[in-house]
Amino acid sequence: MSRIDRRQFSSYGAATLGLAASVGGAQAQSGTRLRCFWWGNPERDKRTRAALDAYEKKAAGVQVTSESIGWGEYWTKLATQTAGGNAPDLIQMDYRYIYEYARRNTLLALEGVMPKPLDLATFSPGARDSGKVDGKLYGVTLGVNSKAMIYDVAMFEKVGVKKLDLTWTWDDMARIAGEISKLNPGKYWGTGDNSRWEQGFEHWLNQRGKFMYTEDGKANFSRDEVAEWFDLWDKLRKTGACAPAEVAAMNTGAVDQYEISRGTAAMSYANSNQIVAFQSISKSKLAMSSFPSTPGKPSGHYIKPSMLMSVSSRSKSQEEAAKIIQFMVNEDAGVKALGIERGVPGSSEAQKMIASDLDDLGKAQVDYVAAITKVAVPLPPPPPKGAGEIETLLRRVADSVAFGKQDVKAGAAQFHMEAVNVLARA
Amino acid sequence: MTPWILGFLGFTLGPTLASLYLSFTKFDLLSSPTWVGLDNYRFMFTSDPRFLNALRVTFVYLILEVPLKLAFALAVATMMDKHIRGGDFYRALYYVPSLLGGSVAIAVLWRQLFQGDGVVNKLLFAIFGVQGPSWISTPETSLYTLVILAVWQFGSPMIIFLAGLRQIPQELYEAASIDGATKWKQFARVTLPLLAPVIFFNFVLQMIEAFKAFSPAFIISGGTGGPVDSTLFYTLYLYQEAFANFRMGYASALAWVLLIIIALFTSLSFLASKYWVFYEDER
């Protein structure tokens, strides 16, 4: 009884936010109601709401209320709702968290609703299996991406680089970044400081054929490797190729705070689907390529689900929720409404549906993911509990090294020790 | 009365007791809490360098911010006390920062002012010809930009001081000036002693507020307390542990320790006040 009250209460809440279509109408009493929750941005919210509206039109009597919020607050809110027994029916999941949620039985194993109504036959095995935890499927990939170096085309042209391909190396990066830094000394640099970003360190480990964490969630890197990583960037900082600590420290991780967005560096580490967001706030033309490669070593790039859609194990309308996912990933109207804002669709059929609508950036993204797929390393196991904390830990320690508060060796020792502690405490 | 009691039980006492219980547990929101006894407190006092750092940051902030803000507020209030034309307008104007200070827009503005190529550095360069650092993202200076932000919001203590100043009988000043006391002497011998209860009130209020400082650091550092934990206020650390790292048990323990610290410092202030705060009906 009390749960019904809470549900009604929260849908009223959504309605007052102007997100729900209508509440208390005649159709709402007889029909099925579901809630859908995702982290987003204005573009994603618009597209997702359009897809849900299209579904409501198709399925009479079904009403889907929706809510979206920023990445940071999303996990707090989702955890609170889940703890209160009030999880949304449709939950946007991240690869980082799906393990935890699935293992605590808060998500529905989707085998029960497959192949009808949910059919993933046209998905590539890699895209489909990325939603699997312990052999069962708990989430459907809404799009795939890979890490990508976003760079300023005009700046690269100024130092004679027309276009980057996937074979560019660390040495190339050091050289190009160094030359760009000379164009406007003390104000503009070749690259942002990427020693502080987990995705950079992870990629560097992946290039050496290692995952950052083991299958059972232990740290899979040594103190020496951390030192080597810090040292690499320390040298770039000293030669002036890489922006100094006080510029790096301004980057708090929001898209508009990145060096490339603030106009302080010509390249930043990001994800391929984010180029849409970066380009929308950048005055200069952007392009993307892989992170720097090491000749004769694996690319270090893997294809990852950018976002997954999961169903709450407590949902009263699991069948309906599965139908909505089917609509989003397989049916023309849903697929087209979502586009490639969340990355390239996992289904080959869906890729064909959107092919004709793509603009230049969209095409670049699809081509990039296709090119990376050919050289990709296997998808690492989902990060363990506490990995989010290690991400911020790396930023803190890398900054203290960059500011010269401790040397590379001491920083590496601190990062390694605290990371092990965090994982033990999680 | 009844609605108040219900609200108190439901929204204050209930959560308070729940947080006391949680402080003895390990609780990540998704699984149910498990009892760990004093582990959270033991960890906090023996092996958590970030806890000690958060305390240090909070105290440095408090020790600088409270006296500076009170001095500034008193200075402005003294100037406002004269009956000048448009006094009401200026009073309202000086109160504006207090209304805006906690907002996101101001925190963003602060980033713009104190960054490497920000307004502050441009002024420094124009006037003194020196190139300043990026104040907001340098660990040595970032905390002080937040102190300045807080001092700038001197509005509410100023209004209280102003009310206090208006209570001081004019004949005391007249008597003092007949005796030949200078303006400064009048301030030190008449204004300050008679204003002591108001200063004390403002002091306690601002001290508790400084212990609870959160939003400027949260917004300016993007929730990280960075660079290198230099703006990791106690409450910001508490928030991170609770809502970023999902350690509700540990965060509850942090909250209780903060409560005890605030209670301790408030009672110390009250004890010390016996020696410098006198009320009109005393002596």
Side-chain angles (χ1 to χ4, degrees):
Chain A
M1 197 58 199
S2 72
R3 187 177 306 152
I4 293 167
D5 289 341
R6 262 200 305 255
R7 273 167 183 272
Q8 283 171 344
F9 179 77
S10 57
S11 65
Y12 290 143
T16 52
L17 286 168
L19 293 165
S22 67
V23 170
Q27 94 274 24
Q29 284 171 355
S30 59
T32 317
R33 280 204 211 171
L34 294 97
R35 288 161 54 215
C36 182
F37 189 28
W38 66 89
W39 71 90
N41 57 48
E43 178 71 16
R44 184 175 305 152
D45 301 348
K46 209 172 69 193
R47 287 173 174 274
T48 313
R49 192 57 247 177
L52 294 175
D53 285 346
Y55 184 81
E56 281 178 349
K57 220 172 270 167
K58 192 189 120 186
V62 178
Q63 194 187 342
V64 192
T65 58
S66 59
E67 193 181 343
S68 90
I69 196 170
W71 163 269
E73 299 94 304
Y74 180 81
W75 299 103
T76 305
K77 199 159 182 191
L78 182 63
T80 319
Q81 291 189 355
T82 308
N86 186 34
D89 302 272
L90 285 160
I91 305 168
Q92 183 169 295
M93 261 291 139
D94 181 67
Y95 190 59
R96 188 183 280 285
Y97 289 93
I98 193 167
Y99 227 59
E100 212 173 317
Y101 275 83
R103 287 197 162 167
R104 292 185 203 281
N105 298 322
T106 61
L107 301 181
L108 177 73
L110 296 169
E111 276 77 7
V113 289
M114 279 162 60
K116 231 179 152 39
L118 183 61
D119 183 5
L120 304 183
T122 56
F123 271 57
S124 73
R128 188 188 60 223
D129 292 348
S130 55
K132 273 191 177 164
V133 175
D134 301 332
K136 281 190 190 158
L137 194 71
Y138 288 95
V140 177
T141 307
L142 292 175
V144 298
N145 66 5
S146 188
K147 297 175 174 119
M149 182 73 96
I150 311 266
Y151 65 94
D152 186 314
V153 178
M155 282 295 168
F156 271 62
E157 277 172 359
K158 271 189 196 164
V159 296
V161 182
K162 280 252 155 59
K163 193 176 183 304
L164 286 181
D165 57 28
L166 303 191
T167 60
W168 79 310
T169 63
W170 284 97
D171 291 341
D172 292 336
M173 191 195 82
R175 182 179 50 80
I176 296 169
E179 283 172 19
I180 292 176
S181 292
K182 284 192 193 114
L183 295 175
N184 195 356
K187 299 258 190 253
Y188 192 86
W189 290 269
T191 173
D193 187 339
N194 293 324
S195 64
R196 59 206 294 271
W197 297 111
E198 183 205 48
Q199 61 194 138
F201 181 52
E202 190 202 26
H203 167 259
W204 183 81
L205 285 172
N206 291 162
Q207 259 184 6
R208 318 185 130 210
K210 284 181 96 170
F211 293 138
M212 192 164 165
Y213 301 106
T214 60
E215 288 279 351
D216 58 348
K218 299 250 167 33
N220 193 29
F221 48 86
S222 71
R223 200 175 301 179
D224 291 342
E225 281 167 323
V226 184
E228 220 177 302
W229 169 250
F230 282 167
D231 193 52
L232 179 96
W233 287 94
D234 198 48
K235 291 205 175 92
L236 288 168
R237 231 176 277 125
K238 283 184 178 137
T239 59
C242 161
E246 58 177 49
V247 172
M250 290 297 283
N251 185 350
T252 54
V255 168
D256 61 336
Q257 296 300 330
Y258 270 75
E259 286 84 350
I260 195 157
S261 308
R262 297 170 50 82
T264 50
M267 23 181 157
S268 281
Y269 276 23
N271 293 311
S272 57
N273 64 313
Q274 285 180 304
I275 191 157
V276 181
F278 275 101
Q279 186 65 74
S280 71
I281 53 170
S282 175
K283 283 179 218 113
S284 24
K285 186 169 179 284
L286 304 178
M288 65 181 156
S289 184
S290 59
F291 287 2
S293 64
T294 309
K297 290 275 165 65
S299 73
H301 278 273
Y302 54 82
I303 300 288
K304 180 182 138 327
S306 62
M307 283 151 238
L308 301 134
M309 196 53 90
S310 297
V311 179
S312 165
S313 59
R314 293 184 136 201
S315 167
K316 293 230 174 90
S317 329
Q318 295 173 345
E319 182 89 9
E320 198 65 44
K323 278 188 198 163
I324 295 174
I325 299 181
Q326 168 77 4
F327 181 75
M328 285 175 159
V329 298
N330 282 326
E331 291 176 28
D332 202 64
V335 169
K336 279 193 169 147
L338 294 183
I340 56 164
E341 195 279 324
R342 284 184 173 86
V344 180
S347 148
S348 54
E349 287 301 314
Q351 286 173 18
K352 280 180 205 155
M353 291 174 204
I354 53 160
S356 56
D357 295 344
L358 291 179
D359 58 4
D360 284 351
L361 271 186
K363 280 195 197 99
Q365 195 189 135
V366 173
D367 291 348
Y368 177 72
V369 170
I372 288 291
T373 307
K374 287 183 197 134
V375 294
V377 300
L379 183 68
K385 229 172 122 184
E389 204 176 339
I390 292 176
E391 192 188 343
T392 51
L393 170 71
L394 177 64
R395 244 192 279 173
R396 179 152 52 89
V397 178
D399 282 351
S400 77
V401 172
F403 276 114
K405 294 207 165 280
Q406 53 184 343
D407 64 12
V408 161
K409 253 188 143 173
Q414 187 201 347
F415 176 70
H416 188 264
M417 187 195 74
E418 285 198 35
V420 170
N421 284 348
V422 164
L423 292 173
R425 247 181 110 205
Chain B
M1 201 57 190
T2 323
W4 182 84
I5 289 282
L6 284 179
F8 174 74
L9 293 178
F11 295 114
T12 307
L13 191 64
T16 309
L17 292 177
S19 120
L20 182 61
Y21 161 70
L22 286 177
S23 76
F24 297 104
T25 64
K26 188 177 171 178
F27 179 40
D28 67 358
L29 276 179
L30 288 182
S31 18
S32 31
T34 48
W35 185 265
V36 294
L38 287 172
D39 273 10
N40 287 331
Y41 294 95
R42 200 172 298 133
F43 180 82
M44 196 186 308
F45 290 111
T46 58
S47 32
D48 189 358
R50 292 191 88 200
F51 162 71
L52 293 177
N53 179 58
L55 273 182
R56 189 189 59 78
V57 168
T58 307
F59 274 103
V60 169
Y61 173 79
L62 183 141
I63 289 167
L64 289 172
E65 186 254 4
V66 175
L68 279 176
K69 189 186 207 167
L70 291 185
F72 201 57
L74 182 56
V76 177
T78 314
M79 286 187 281
M80 291 266 115
D81 194 28
K82 303 192 180 80
H83 292 277
I84 45 169
R85 211 172 355 141
D88 290 343
F89 171 73
Y90 288 114
R91 218 173 301 148
L93 197 67
Y94 287 137
Y95 195 77
V96 167
S98 299
L99 298 174
L100 297 176
S103 71
V104 176
I106 291 299
V108 172
L109 172 76
W110 230 246
R111 274 180 76 93
Q112 305 283 349
L113 281 178
F114 287 99
Q115 69 193 20
D117 54 354
V119 177
V120 170
N121 275 349
K122 284 195 176 130
L123 278 176
L124 280 178
F125 193 78
I127 301 169
F128 301 107
V130 288
Q131 181 58 53
S134 174
W135 305 95
I136 208 109
S137 64
T138 304
E140 284 78 18
T141 54
S142 53
L143 182 59
Y144 305 116
T145 63
L146 293 180
V147 171
I148 298 172
L149 175 60
V151 172
W152 182 58
Q153 300 163 46
F154 58 88
S156 49
M158 176 196 76
I159 294 288
I160 297 170
F161 277 137
L162 201 53
L165 290 170
R166 295 271 156 96
Q167 294 294 311
I168 299 175
Q170 279 302 313
E171 54 264 33
L172 291 178
Y173 290 108
E174 283 161 20
S177 63
I178 290 169
D179 289 344
T182 58
K183 283 276 168 204
W184 175 247
K185 267 235 163 92
Q186 288 179 23
F187 179 76
R189 294 289 168 80
V190 179
T191 312
L192 276 186
L194 284 170
L195 207 58
V198 179
I199 296 175
F200 177 61
F201 174 79
N202 265 337
F203 171 75
V204 172
L205 226 60
Q206 292 303 322
M207 181 180 71
I208 295 176
E209 206 146 283
F211 271 121
K212 299 192 321 192
F214 176 76
S215 44
F218 177 79
I219 299 160
I220 288 174
S221 72
T224 62
V228 205
D229 278 357
S230 59
T231 60
L232 186 75
F233 286 107
Y234 194 100
T235 47
L236 188 53
Y237 181 49
L238 195 162
Y239 170 85
Q240 279 186 9
E241 283 294 291
F243 296 107
N245 304 332
F246 296 115
R247 279 196 275 267
M248 290 293 163
Y250 190 62
S252 300
L254 283 171
W256 276 89
V257 169
L258 178 63
L259 178 75
I260 291 165
I261 293 174
I262 294 182
L264 195 72
F265 275 80
T266 311
S267 16
L268 279 178
S269 312
F270 270 95
L271 285 177
S273 76
K274 281 196 186 130
Y275 300 98
W276 65 277
V277 179
F278 300 101
Y279 296 88
E280 262 182 76
D281 49 352
E282 286 177 298
R283 269 214 302 200

